[in-house]
Amino acid sequence: MQIQDLPYPDPGVPDARSGPRFLVWLGRNQLGGQAKALAWGLLHFMSVSGLPFCVGFAVQAVVDRSGARLGMAGGLIALCGVGIALGDSMLHRAAVTNWITAAARVQQLLARRTALLGSALTRRVAAGEIVAVSTGDVEKIGWFVEAVSRFTAAAVTIVFVCVALVVYQPALGVVVAVGVPVLALAVLPLLPRATRRADFQREKAGHATELASDTVAGLRVLRGIGGEELFLDRYRRASQEVRHAAVRSARMWALISAIQVLLPGLLLIVVVWHGVNLAREGRITVGELVTVYSAVMLLTYPLRHFEEIAMAYSFSRPSAKRAARVLSLERATDGEGSREAVVPAGDLYDPATGLLAPAGRLTAVVCGDPDTAGVLAERLGGHAADSSALPSALVGGVPLDELPLDSARSAVLVQDKDPVLLSGTLRELLDVPASGDVSPEEALAAAQCGDVLDALAQGSLDAADPMDARITERGRSLSGGQRQRLALARSLITDPEVLVLDEPTSAVDSHTEARIADGVRSLRQGRTTVVFTSSPLLLDHADRVVLVHEGEVAAVGVHRELLHSEPRYRAVVTRETDDETAAHELGHLPELEEIEETA
């Protein structure tokens, strides 16, 4: 896999049982890239390790006054130089490719899991943790995957050099062969503590990210209630905790680095001291001493990769654990379904509540509890909570949970009460899978987006057409009502067989709401539409109004009839208090017609 071939046609099915298993699965899926990096790494490290032998050979040639051997040594040094340059360049290229392709695989897996779970994901995993996994954690996982091949090449090189030194000069080679493993393993006792500190830092960083995400998302509300400074102070404290944790973690890694500088220096002193004594006794030549000295000095280079792989694993293990946790989440129902991939048509029915939305009609649903309305809306779209044991909603008698995921979502589109606008131009926002029966102009007109287009045109000096005006991240430059109407227009363009809207006009004024009600009713003529609302303006335009009380359908009719006949419905729609309801039953309140006009 090359970078230009990304994204993967199929990123595969990950082993998400644990963080280490996930890392092993990633490495196993990149064996070709790992083999290339290992081959180039061996060329590079072997060329580096060959220099001491060439230098020692050259020194001995000078001592022996042999021009032929000196020339041969120069040729070998040049050959090693070519190997070093070529191996280093191609190793870097292969390693970066492994890093990017591993990160891309993880990002694709996370994106697919997010699309599969939908809104259920944020109910089970904090939004800040998802952001942390898809950004910083992905990079750390990629770092470990690409570091494995370089570490393997370094380890093979060290073993080769130690064996070669023992064969070349046993008296000094044995000292090196014994000392190098000590250098490599000396930091192992410190790694558990370093790992714990790194994990603690990641935990604090994840908490700070979650807090920052929540603060930014609710900044407009926080300013309105004067809570901005309170949340900012919380984030300051969280960020300071991250800083302290990072400093403690850095101290441990600095100690590990210091040990890996100190111990090789001590080994070098021992080798030189012992080698000088052997040379004075005539047991080794000057060239052999220079060779062993140079080899020990250059061994510190591959030894650094032991520290790097330990650091990469310590940082990537908690990241892989978080990624595996997200990737292990499953839908309540099988995404493949047990039925053929067809888009059903007909009445929408929820067996759990008894709610029926006739095909081709506009049905309004009134719930006294907004949370109940949200859960019911998701169940109507086949997005039931994972813990729910309730039966699936049916479209035309076909259970949504028995359909493949794509077919279920093509049949029923749910727009929740807080829809997200992605950054980009308005044209890109409205470029969604659609039937083609509804144009962007018609959808924008039905959603009463005329003033939104004017605002976008005025705010984008370089866009002559409002459709080319840019929308900032999550539509933060727009008001709540403007974002809500643009999201409604996006839903109307798709023209699904069944459209479920959860409080689509909660952030607009009554005059705009009345026009939206007319526009939606006209544009959705002949299509099934379900609107969760308690607004009299929308309810009065519905063909059928359903009151859901305590998880069951309590009344069915039209708005004006239910106002007269159903006290529970009237209490929700007109916001009556218990005292007002009792007074109305005693005839002490104005006529319902007056209440209705006021509403």
Side-chain angles (χ1 to χ4, degrees):
M1 172 63 68
Q2 299 296 320
I3 295 177
Q4 62 263 28
D5 298 327
L6 296 175
Y8 289 95
D10 180 13
V13 179
D15 185 348
R17 289 176 290 176
S18 66
R21 288 177 182 272
F22 180 60
L23 291 174
V24 170
W25 178 84
L26 280 176
R28 196 168 60 242
N29 278 270
Q30 292 187 208
L31 291 179
Q34 296 285 2
K36 288 182 181 179
L38 176 60
W40 291 117
L42 287 174
L43 174 62
H44 173 64
F45 288 121
M46 290 297 184
S47 298
V48 171
S49 62
L51 283 176
F53 296 94
C54 297
V55 171
F57 186 68
V59 170
Q60 192 60 42
V62 172
V63 172
D64 296 340
R65 298 181 180 275
S66 173
R69 284 189 291 166
L70 182 61
M72 183 183 299
L76 292 175
I77 292 175
L79 184 61
C80 288
V82 172
I84 292 172
L86 179 61
D88 190 30
S89 300
M90 298 307 295
L91 172 61
H92 179 73
R93 178 186 178 93
V96 170
T97 300
N98 287 338
W99 187 336
I100 293 177
T101 51
R105 186 186 297 274
V106 177
Q107 286 179 327
Q108 279 188 253
L109 291 170
L110 291 171
R112 292 195 176 194
R113 185 60 50 178
T114 301
L116 177 67
L117 294 174
S119 60
L121 177 61
T122 52
R123 290 198 300 266
R124 302 173 64 181
V125 181
E129 183 172 348
I130 299 173
V131 173
V133 171
S134 58
T135 54
D137 285 341
V138 166
E139 293 187 6
K140 293 177 179 64
I141 292 171
W143 175 27
F144 175 76
V145 171
E146 67 90 9
V148 168
S149 55
R150 288 189 287 111
F151 163 74
T152 304
V156 171
T157 301
I158 290 174
V159 172
F160 173 79
V161 171
C162 290
V163 172
L165 287 177
V166 171
V167 174
Y168 178 72
Q169 178 44 253
L172 288 177
V174 171
V175 175
V176 176
V178 173
V180 168
V182 174
L183 298 183
L185 302 177
V187 297
L188 285 182
L190 298 177
L191 288 181
R193 182 179 298 180
T195 301
R196 287 194 298 270
R197 292 190 180 186
D199 291 348
F200 183 72
Q201 178 192 350
R202 294 295 171 278
E203 180 182 344
K204 291 296 183 181
H207 173 68
T209 302
E210 293 175 17
L211 188 59
S213 177
D214 293 341
T215 302
V216 172
L219 193 57
R220 187 186 296 266
V221 177
L222 291 175
R223 287 174 175 170
I225 63 176
E228 181 181 4
E229 286 300 323
L230 174 63
F231 271 76
L232 289 178
D233 186 58
R234 289 181 182 177
Y235 180 73
R236 290 190 192 99
R237 291 198 299 270
S239 64
Q240 288 303 311
E241 291 177 358
V242 174
R243 183 178 67 84
H244 291 308
V247 169
R248 293 183 72 249
S249 178
R251 285 174 180 168
M252 185 56 62
W253 288 112
L255 176 60
I256 292 175
S257 298
I259 291 175
Q260 292 210 324
V261 171
L262 174 64
L263 293 184
L266 294 177
L267 177 62
L268 194 60
I269 292 173
V270 171
V271 168
V272 171
W273 176 80
H274 185 52
V276 168
N277 288 333
L278 293 176
R280 291 173 60 184
E281 295 173 2
R283 297 172 57 185
I284 64 172
T285 65
V286 174
E288 290 173 336
L289 175 60
V290 171
T291 297
V292 176
Y293 168 80
S294 301
V296 174
M297 185 174 63
L298 289 179
L299 275 180
T300 58
Y301 172 53
L303 277 172
R304 293 175 191 167
H305 290 79
F306 284 76
E307 176 191 355
E308 183 194 17
I309 195 66
M311 183 180 293
Y313 180 72
S314 298
F315 279 75
S316 65
R317 187 178 61 83
S319 297
K321 181 180 178 181
R322 283 196 292 265
R325 180 192 172 198
V326 175
L327 295 174
S328 64
L329 299 176
E330 298 290 344
R331 293 181 73 240
T333 56
D334 184 9
E336 298 298 326
S338 58
R339 292 176 178 259
E340 60 178 337
V342 296
V343 179
D347 298 343
L348 175 64
Y349 177 67
D350 177 38
T353 59
L355 172 63
L356 174 66
R361 307 286 292 278
L362 173 59
T363 301
V365 182
V366 177
C367 295
D369 183 3
D371 293 335
T372 300
V375 172
L376 179 53
E378 291 184 353
R379 190 163 67 247
L380 291 179
H383 305 278
D386 294 332
S387 59
S388 175
L390 299 175
S392 170
L394 293 82
V395 177
V398 178
L400 289 176
D401 61 2
E402 295 182 6
L403 289 172
L405 186 61
D406 292 342
S407 299
R409 292 188 174 176
S410 297
V412 183
L413 173 66
V414 179
Q415 177 184 304
D416 60 29
K417 64 181 63 179
D418 187 24
V420 175
L421 300 183
L422 301 179
S423 59
T425 65
L426 179 58
R427 194 183 308 279
E428 292 170 341
L429 174 70
L430 301 179
D431 183 18
V432 294
S435 67
D437 294 336
V438 178
S439 66
E441 293 75 15
E442 292 174 325
L444 290 169
Q448 299 300 308
C449 294
D451 64 314
V452 184
L453 296 178
D454 294 337
L456 290 174
Q458 293 175 4
S460 301
L461 301 179
D462 57 342
D465 187 346
M467 296 293 289
D468 296 324
R470 293 198 63 80
I471 299 174
T472 56
E473 181 186 2
R474 298 180 67 91
R476 300 192 191 282
S477 60
L478 302 173
S479 68
Q482 289 174 329
R483 291 196 300 269
Q484 200 171 56
R485 282 177 282 163
L486 283 179
L488 176 59
R490 179 179 59 187
S491 298
L492 292 174
I493 286 178
T494 62
D495 194 32
E497 188 66 32
V498 179
L499 175 61
V500 179
L501 304 172
D502 188 4
E503 295 289 354
T505 59
S506 59
V508 301
D509 59 81
S510 58
H511 297 290
T512 304
E513 189 176 31
R515 293 194 296 269
I516 290 175
D518 286 330
V520 171
R521 180 183 176 89
S522 175
L523 195 63
R524 293 286 300 171
Q525 191 70 34
R527 292 288 201 181
T528 307
T529 307
V530 179
V531 181
F532 286 82
T533 183
S534 59
S535 168
L537 291 171
L538 285 177
L539 294 170
D540 200 35
H541 284 78
D543 300 315
R544 174 186 175 93
V545 178
V546 179
L547 171 65
V548 177
H549 181 70
E550 295 183 352
E552 294 182 353
V553 171
V556 179
V558 295
H559 170 60
R560 296 176 186 268
E561 292 177 356
L562 291 175
L563 272 179
H564 288 274
S565 61
E566 181 52 61
R568 291 171 295 185
Y569 177 83
R570 182 172 59 249
V572 175
V573 173
T574 64
R575 276 69 170 178
E576 276 186 352
T577 64
D578 293 339
D579 293 338
E580 290 173 335
T581 302
H584 177 78
E585 292 175 353
L586 295 174
H588 295 163
L589 285 182
E591 294 297 325
L592 282 175
E593 289 77 3
E594 297 180 15
I595 297 176
E596 185 178 340
E597 290 295 333
T598 303

